[in-house]
Amino acid sequence: MAAIELRGLTKVYPGGVKALDALDLVIPDGEFFALLGPSGCGKTTLLRTIAGLEAASGGSVLIGERDVTGTQPGGRDVAMVFQDYALFPHMDVTDNIAYPLRIKKVDKATRRDKAAEVGARLGLEQLMDRRPGQLSGGQQQRVALARVMATQAQAFLFDEPLSNLDARLRLEARTFLKKLQRELGVTTVFVTHDQAEALAMADRMAVMEAGHIRQIGTPAEVFRRPVNTFVAGFIGSTPMNLLDGLVRGDTLEVAGCKVAVPALAEGRLSDGEKIVYGVRPEYMTYSDEPAEGGIGGKVAIVENLGASHLVTLDVNDVIVQAVVPEGSEPAVGDDGYAVPRSDRALVYRDGELVS
Amino acid sequence: MTPRFVLGRIGFYTLIAVLLAFFTIPLLWLVTAPFTSDPTYEVRMPDFTWENFQAVLEHPYALPSLWNSLVLSVGTALLVVVMAALAAYALSRVRLPGRDALLYALLLLSSIITGTAAMVPLFQLAVELNLIDSQLGLILILTGGLLPAAIFMLKDFMDSTPKSYEESARVFGASPLQIVRHVVVPLVRPGLATIAVWSIANVWGNFLMPYLLLSDVEKQPAAVITYTLYTEGGQANLRMLSTFGLLYSVPVVLMYLFVSKKYGFRFHGGIKR
Ligand SMILES: Nc1ncnc2c1ncn2[C@@H]1O[C@H](COP(=O)(O)OP(=O)(O)OP(=O)(O)O)[C@@H](O)[C@H]1O
Ligand SMILES: [Mg+2]
């Protein structure tokens, strides 16, 4: 097991695309770390550069305090699960799982035993003689996991390993993967563009944008206190309300309504300043009656989220959303008021969190 | 069904039958004549004699020439497959400036190498290198002629196999040669089989090059020996020709059947699409 450290890591592809821009990151030993970001932000590139499949254009990669920047992938002692699993189609499950051991020149009997043992651990006993083509997506994923487990590498790198599974299987695999990582205690870097996955599984996570890391923290920190408007807008199954506003004395004017200064920003704002006011729809209390510090408007859309409803208010031509528990949802066209929780609301100045 | 339609159909099938006959009659001749005591150019019911085979067996150069053909074609095919696989893999995976231009130039040149145009220079080259009258020399020259097209075809095959198999093996620590042996070769096996069959068939049927470069009749392949099967009177020896022709074609047909049965399939799965 080993920590992973990146110092000023830069990757410029031939043709001039700067996929990673002077990136610094430390992933402690044994951590389950998620990399999250929109498509094309450089997640796969980062993972491949750690694995050594892409050569860094600048900076360095350290695995277990060893500088591996110039080392071939095979010498870095990491194992990777590819998005398409890359199971060898001409080998059966046993041979696939045992392949890393074959490279290490382990003798055939030991290899088979080890493969059987790892396979059994992942519930593959019945499938050991099959070819990858005869397996379902979920089974293939488990074979791919078994194969990296057999390597006993210092760190695991996963590139969207769940993206090929259907929604239900994905939930199962999520729990399974997290449990497995806990048991093995291997440092794991996990790329995903599904934020629910990152929030649910990671010990810590990083949100990336265009080759930069925009925030690192525990899922709770990233969800509750996004440090800039990019992360604020990206994280959350319903997007955060980000409303332009002005500081007016000791209150804020947002979408033509008066709201209280959030606890976090108290005493840090000056009169007349332009700010962005952020609050998650989940942290809004909805009522039909005018309420103190509430944002009032006409109900434009009501969306069913299952156990709750997402109500979209039209407030002086600004869109404000609030989550309303089931049973008390309003009708379209009603007047509605949404009161932000001031201990959860956030203020951004020039795109950065005021705190 | 109008009469017009029926007539049309009849005409169509008649045409096909005539065309088919055109191609089957020589084949029929080839399988019947060897079993006929006194074959002519006609296709006749054979009287099932083994005498012609006896005569071929007794011919001093007939059977050895088949062996020579085998040595030449298998030797060339092995060289072509190994070298083309390595070259095509490298060309497919390494970014080289002007790679495509190089490939097309090679392909263009190759049709010249074993073609008639290069006969004289090739002959002189072989003389200079002491490779005249040597089966190895012939194998090298035939390999050179087949390689560019083989590389071209195999590169296409390699391009269409996903890179993540190899990258996965690389992360496990496999060396480039291990990757080729464990992953790439099994994946492109149908392609390699195609190239091998194509090379063998090509060399097996090649007359000009061995005729030119091998003067020792003991080293000549079947294609050249066929050319010498005359009677004392200078007439084509139909008994020998037909029988030898049959023996000469059977191995190629068997090879096609075998390979298409063994490698005529493709792998599926392992890469989720
Ligand atoms: N081989 C390459 N050559 C040139 N540019 C590349 C190459 N691979 C990726 N890029 C570019 O680098 C940037 C980052 O790509 P990357 O694949 O790392 O994104 P990603 O975050 O993994 O996206 P996704 O979520 O869609 O997988 C993109 O702009 C992409 O176009
Ligand atoms: Mg990616």
Side-chain angles (χ1 to χ4, degrees), chain B residues 4-61:
Chain B
R4 200 192 159 88
F5 176 80
V6 173
L7 277 181
R9 282 277 117 160
I10 291 173
F12 179 66
Y13 285 120
T14 314
L15 183 72
I16 287 189
V18 170
L19 277 177
L20 268 181
F22 190 75
F23 287 104
T24 33
I25 286 172
L27 286 176
L28 271 179
W29 182 83
L30 188 65
V31 294
T32 53
F35 302 98
T36 312
S37 329
D38 185 21
T40 58
Y41 289 114
E42 290 168 6
V43 178
R44 280 183 311 183
M45 196 56 197
D47 51 359
F48 297 108
T49 166
W50 289 98
E51 265 173 41
N52 299 341
F53 288 90
Q54 193 68 35
V56 168
L57 276 181
E58 279 161 13
H59 189 284
Y61 302 119

Side-chain angles (χ1 to χ4, degrees), chain A residues 13-20 37-46 48 54 83 159-160 191-193 208, chain B residues 95:
Chain A
Y13 279 112
V17 180
K18 202 171 204 174
L20 300 175
S39 192
C41 69
K43 305 180 294 289
T44 299
T45 307
L46 180 55
R48 291 172 58 88
E54 301 288 349
Q83 186 169 354
D159 192 359
E160 309 203 17
V191 163
T192 174
H193 58 232
M208 289 184 67
Chain B
R95 286 167 163 271

Side-chain angles (χ1 to χ4, degrees), chain B residues 37-248:
Chain B
S37 329
D38 185 21
T40 58
Y41 289 114
E42 290 168 6
V43 178
R44 280 183 311 183
M45 196 56 197
D47 51 359
F48 297 108
T49 166
W50 289 98
E51 265 173 41
N52 299 341
F53 288 90
Q54 193 68 35
V56 168
L57 276 181
E58 279 161 13
H59 189 284
Y61 302 119
L63 282 190
S65 78
L66 282 172
W67 172 252
N68 288 340
S69 283
L70 193 73
V71 169
L72 287 175
S73 53
V74 171
T76 309
L78 278 180
L79 264 183
V80 168
V81 166
V82 170
M83 291 168 70
L86 293 175
Y89 179 58
L91 280 171
S92 159
R93 294 303 191 244
V94 182
R95 286 167 163 271
L96 271 181
R99 176 181 65 185
D100 291 345
L102 178 80
L103 270 172
Y104 281 107
L106 272 179
L107 196 63
L108 205 71
L109 285 176
S110 74
S111 46
I112 302 174
I113 288 191
T114 34
T116 9
M119 258 173 13
V120 176
L122 267 180
F123 185 80
Q124 282 187 335
L125 190 70
V127 171
E128 291 292 322
L129 290 175
N130 243 339
L131 286 177
I132 208 82
D133 223 6
S134 136
Q135 290 189 333
L136 177 68
L138 181 58
I139 286 179
L140 288 179
I141 286 175
L142 290 170
T143 304
L146 296 178
L147 257 183
I151 293 174
F152 200 79
M153 287 190 267
L154 264 185
K155 181 183 166 288
D156 225 43
F157 248 95
M158 305 251 181
D159 283 347
S160 63
T161 55
K163 267 190 185 164
S164 53
Y165 292 130
E166 293 150 46
E167 290 180 335
S168 168
R170 256 184 92 194
V171 178
F172 293 133
S175 68
L177 266 183
Q178 278 177 320
I179 294 176
V180 169
R181 272 193 301 137
H182 298 164
V183 181
V184 179
V185 165
L187 285 178
V188 299
R189 187 166 277 161
L192 297 179
T194 310
I195 298 294
V197 169
W198 172 78
S199 306
I200 288 178
N202 229 299
V203 175
W204 195 268
N206 194 325
F207 167 77
L208 189 62
M209 280 294 136
Y211 181 67
L212 206 66
L213 296 174
L214 299 176
S215 50
D216 183 349
V217 70
E218 282 182 18
K219 293 178 182 162
Q220 285 172 345
V224 178
I225 292 297
T226 314
Y227 181 64
T228 64
L229 299 178
Y230 287 95
T231 57
E232 282 95 59
Q235 291 272 313
N237 184 343
L238 286 187
R239 291 179 56 204
M240 290 291 274
L241 264 179
S242 62
T243 314
F244 192 62
L246 186 64
L247 291 177
Y248 176 60

